Amino acid sequence: MNLPSSQTVIGISEPGGPDVLRPETRPVPRPAAGEVLVRVHAAGVNRPDVVQRQGHYPPPPGASDIPGLEIAGEVVAAGEGADVPAPGSRVTALVTGGGYAEYCLADAALALPVPDGLDFVTAAAVPETYFTVWSNVFDRGALKPGETLLVHGGTSGIGTTAIQLGKAFGARVLTTAGSAEKCAACMRLGADAAINYREEDFVAAVKAATAGRGADVILDMVGGSYIPRNYQAAAQDGRIVQIAFMQGSKVEVDFMRLMLKRLTHTGSTLRSRPLDEKASIALSLRQHVWPLLAEGRCLPVVHKTFPLTEAAAAHALMETGEHIGKIVLRVAG
């Protein structure tokens, strides 16, 4: 395929608000060994993109400074040793940056086939949240059938994914959300109970919903004051998995409860993890989750799409917190 020499991307002119996201013209990259070049049809918008735009989440060494951590599109070129996926394949890929562009490089091991029946917009909403939920809820959190999972932020992209995957693998799922509308959305996705954190104490609500036992696994992106409260809401031998700190990462905590309840408090980031670790997650997803996606179960919830050149509007919407599910940029097709 004859590739163009230049492309439109969304750059960050300087740290700041959504208006610093601006279209730029840059060269089309060429894949190195082990990489594929994807003609992007759609790109997911995620909270880490917002934090990067604000200047608080720099890309790892060697990664593109263009925001965007997940894409879907068509493979148009491959580097040495990247035999699969072959050019012409429809893929959805987890990337370390560069997604807000017409063409994006991806490690071949992280470029998975678009599940049967999914369009590119839906497929672009898969990688970041599904990799995150699988690695944190099922790998680090070791959620088992019959256990109770508490998901904070149930209507976020992460939350909507965690609710559905938790239920699909036999857990009881409780979640928190900030309005009656959002709680209703969580229930439609299969949550067993949705707690309006503006009106209820989630600790008391979790205890009531579990006959005083508490949650076996807690997925938390809030941090701050939620950390000691998670210790209260957790069951004996509970596992708390931290994936973000929207309320801040510094808090005073009495660890006596952690000792007495034999809690495990762990956490992880995704973007900076080594390729082999992310490739292992990709294999697990393809084995355990891709069949569910092909069956139309556990699908991403896409709240709204925007053209690539309106990335600033997409970020502005994300910052309102009014969305339910994912926001996606339409790029090609």
Side-chain angles (χ1 to χ4, degrees):
M1 176 181 288
N2 292 324
L3 297 174
S5 60
S6 63
Q7 61 166 333
T8 298
V9 309
I10 300 299
I12 301 172
S13 61
E14 60 184 343
D19 60 324
V20 304
L21 295 174
R22 297 173 186 171
E24 300 177 6
T25 299
R26 294 199 191 181
V28 172
R30 296 299 188 262
E35 293 180 332
V36 294
L37 180 67
V38 179
R39 181 177 182 242
V40 180
H41 284 249
V45 177
N46 293 282
R47 183 68 57 177
D49 303 342
V50 172
V51 182
Q52 177 178 334
R53 188 205 74 221
Q54 294 169 338
H56 305 306
Y57 191 39
S64 172
D65 65 329
I66 299 167
L69 302 176
E70 59 184 350
I71 58 170
E74 178 188 357
V75 175
V76 294
E80 182 181 354
D83 300 321
V84 179
S89 301
R90 299 170 74 247
V91 298
T92 179
L94 182 76
V95 296
T96 54
Y100 292 13
E102 293 178 305
Y103 293 86
C104 181
L105 294 173
D107 287 297
L110 306 181
L112 297 171
V114 172
D116 293 342
L118 269 64
D119 58 26
F120 283 123
V121 166
T122 306
V126 169
E128 176 70 10
T129 52
Y130 284 69
F131 272 72
T132 297
V133 170
W134 187 265
S135 63
N136 286 287
V137 172
F138 296 94
D139 287 345
R140 302 194 73 79
L143 181 69
K144 301 175 184 66
E147 291 190 322
T148 297
L149 168 66
L150 171 61
V151 179
H152 289 304
T155 54
S156 65
I158 295 289
T160 55
T161 300
I163 291 169
Q164 294 182 82
L165 289 182
K167 292 299 297 180
F169 288 94
R172 186 178 187 212
V173 180
L174 314 177
T175 186
T176 61
S179 70
E181 177 190 7
K182 289 187 173 184
C183 285
C186 292
M187 297 297 289
R188 289 194 297 271
L189 289 170
D192 295 280
I195 303 157
N196 186 338
Y197 65 80
R198 299 184 190 279
E199 298 179 353
E200 297 180 78
D201 172 23
F202 77 77
V203 174
V206 168
K207 292 287 190 178
T210 58
R213 184 175 183 279
D216 299 287
V217 178
I218 300 176
L219 183 65
D220 183 31
M221 61 192 77
V222 181
S225 66
Y226 274 41
I227 293 175
R229 296 168 71 196
N230 285 335
Y231 289 7
Q232 296 176 51
Q236 292 289 123
D237 298 302
R239 289 87 71 196
I240 300 154
V241 190
Q242 205 74 45
I243 59 169
F245 295 100
M246 294 180 67
Q247 277 191 8
S249 60
K250 297 180 180 180
V251 63
E252 184 174 312
V253 180
D254 182 352
F255 285 108
M256 184 60 70
R257 196 179 302 273
L258 179 144
M259 291 174 60
L260 294 175
K261 297 174 84 171
R262 301 182 300 277
L263 304 178
T264 298
H265 191 171
T266 184
S268 73
T269 60
L270 182 61
R271 189 180 193 181
S272 61
R273 293 180 74 171
L275 174 59
D276 61 340
E277 293 184 11
K278 289 188 278 191
S280 177
I281 300 168
L283 288 174
S284 292
L285 285 172
R286 191 164 182 181
Q287 178 182 355
H288 298 290
V289 176
W290 253 231
L292 300 177
L293 293 171
E295 293 168 7
R297 300 169 58 195
C298 304
L299 292 175
V301 176
V302 177
H303 180 84
K304 189 171 183 178
T305 66
F306 293 85
L308 175 65
T309 54
E310 295 181 17
H315 274 227
L317 173 58
M318 175 160 279
E319 290 190 334
T320 68
E322 295 175 358
H323 58 292
I324 294 174
K326 297 294 295 265
I327 301 168
V328 178
L329 300 177
R330 303 186 309 274
V331 184

